[in-house]
Every structure is written in C-alpha cells, then in structure tokens.
Amino acid sequence: MKKLLLIGLFGLCSAANAAVFEVEMTGPGGHSNGNYGNVNAVHAGARAILALEKALPCASAYNFKGGATVNAIAGDTRFLVNTGVCKEDAAALQEKITAAVKQGADEENAFRSVKAGDLVKGFPAEIRFSVKQVGK
C-alpha cells in the first residue's frame, strides 16, 4: 500500500505542465520598537499564500523563509510554489501566481496605510515582489 501511494504521489508531481516558481517579497523592515507601522514582508507573504490558495488550489507553497530575528519587522520573505498537478501552461500559472502575490502585497500595504511612492528613510515603504519560474 505504501509503495502504491508513493508512486501515485510521484506521478502527480511529475505532470507535464509542472512548474516551480520562486516568490520574493521585500519591504523596509526594521526594529519593532522604532519602526512600528512599517509593512511586514512575512505578513505579505502569508496574505499572498491565502490568495494563492483561492486562485490556484492545485498549487502548493513551501520552503517559506523570511525575517531576520525576534523583535523585528521582516524586510524580506521567499517561498516556492509547486504547480505539479495544475492543468494550465507555465505562462498562465505565472500570471495567476503573480496576481495572488500582488493581492497579498496590496493587502499588507493597505493594512499599514502605505501608498506607492511613500518612503521610509529614503527607501520605498511598500511591499515589492517578484515571481519567476525556477524549475519545471
């Protein structure tokens, strides 16, 4: 039974349209004491994954990493998205993933009342992101 299950899972992960995407999100970060109110890249990443779950339920997010230490507002986060069982082609998948990540960034920016063009110590105050295909 276990061998059959492993073969079945391997078959799902090796679908013809399988692609892996890397998502990177950045913000100004800072110390929670002096920079309270700055956007948090980890929060934005979590919001993006919630949006991704609704937009592309066939995908899975994993290898989520972000932040540097305790008492800090995370300035960056990264995670991977596996689309192994999704039916769309890579371009359509990237479009949907990018839309979900943008939604997560927009929600975090809105929650912190940050608008495009706002600055924190001369640097962009909003969450910025990139989505790129890193594997097939």
Side-chain angles (χ1 to χ4, degrees):
M1 177 83 168
K2 288 182 183 179
K3 288 181 183 178
L4 202 69
L5 178 61
L6 291 175
I7 291 168
L9 289 174
F10 178 76
L12 289 176
C13 292
S14 61
N17 292 334
V20 176
F21 296 88
E22 180 182 57
V23 176
E24 294 184 9
M25 303 180 87
T26 58
H31 191 279
S32 61
N33 184 24
N35 302 111
Y36 181 78
N38 284 1
V39 291
N40 187 314
V42 168
H43 291 187
R47 293 173 192 273
I49 289 173
L50 290 172
L52 180 62
E53 179 183 34
K54 291 177 184 169
L56 206 56
C58 57
S60 61
Y62 65 102
N63 214 23
F64 191 100
K65 296 179 178 158
T69 187
V70 298
N71 283 345
I73 299 166
D76 67 319
T77 193
R78 288 175 178 75
F79 60 93
L80 298 173
V81 178
N82 186 332
T83 62
V85 297
C86 299
K87 303 284 187 227
E88 295 93 341
D89 64 18
L93 292 166
Q94 185 163 3
E95 187 176 311
K96 287 182 179 183
I97 293 167
T98 300
V101 172
K102 180 181 183 319
Q103 180 180 336
D106 290 348
E107 288 175 2
E108 177 64 10
N109 290 331
F111 181 76
R112 303 290 179 186
S113 301
V114 172
K115 296 171 210 59
D118 288 351
L119 299 176
V120 171
K121 297 180 182 176
F123 294 96
E126 76 271 7
I127 294 289
R128 297 165 319 279
F129 64 89
S130 66
V131 176
K132 64 182 177 184
Q133 186 173 351
V134 294
K136 175 103 173 113

